[in-house]
Amino acid sequence: MPTIYIHRGVTFSVTRQYDDQFEIIIELGKEVLHSTVRTRLPELAKRRAEMLINRKLRDRLKSV
């Protein structure tokens, strides 16, 4: 069951795939990003998603 969060106005979901693996789906505007994180703790998977969002937003600002 995916858990949906919002960070800096960006919606993302964290879903457990296996005992030690999570899938992160980030909806950044029209773009949808998929990422896999290997950890046992859902809090760490959520933090990793937040870090990815911060990086993508920073990269978008640099390219403008």
Side-chain angles (χ1 to χ4, degrees):
M1 189 79 164
T3 307
I4 298 173
Y5 301 101
I6 296 177
H7 176 71
R8 299 181 93 185
V10 177
T11 304
F12 67 96
S13 65
V14 177
T15 307
R16 183 182 292 270
Q17 289 185 326
Y18 300 105
D19 187 41
D20 64 342
Q21 188 173 359
F22 288 87
E23 180 184 24
I24 298 170
I25 301 173
I26 301 172
E27 298 174 14
L28 194 59
K30 296 179 182 176
E31 190 177 0
V32 178
L33 306 168
H34 296 269
S35 181
T36 303
V37 178
R38 297 199 47 121
T39 181
R40 291 185 182 268
L41 301 173
E43 296 86 14
L44 291 179
K46 179 183 176 218
R47 179 64 187 131
R48 177 67 179 149
E50 292 171 350
M51 290 168 52
L52 288 170
I53 290 169
N54 289 341
R55 182 182 306 147
K56 288 292 180 182
L57 291 176
R58 185 180 64 232
D59 291 346
R60 277 191 173 185
L61 287 175
K62 284 183 181 179
S63 65
V64 172

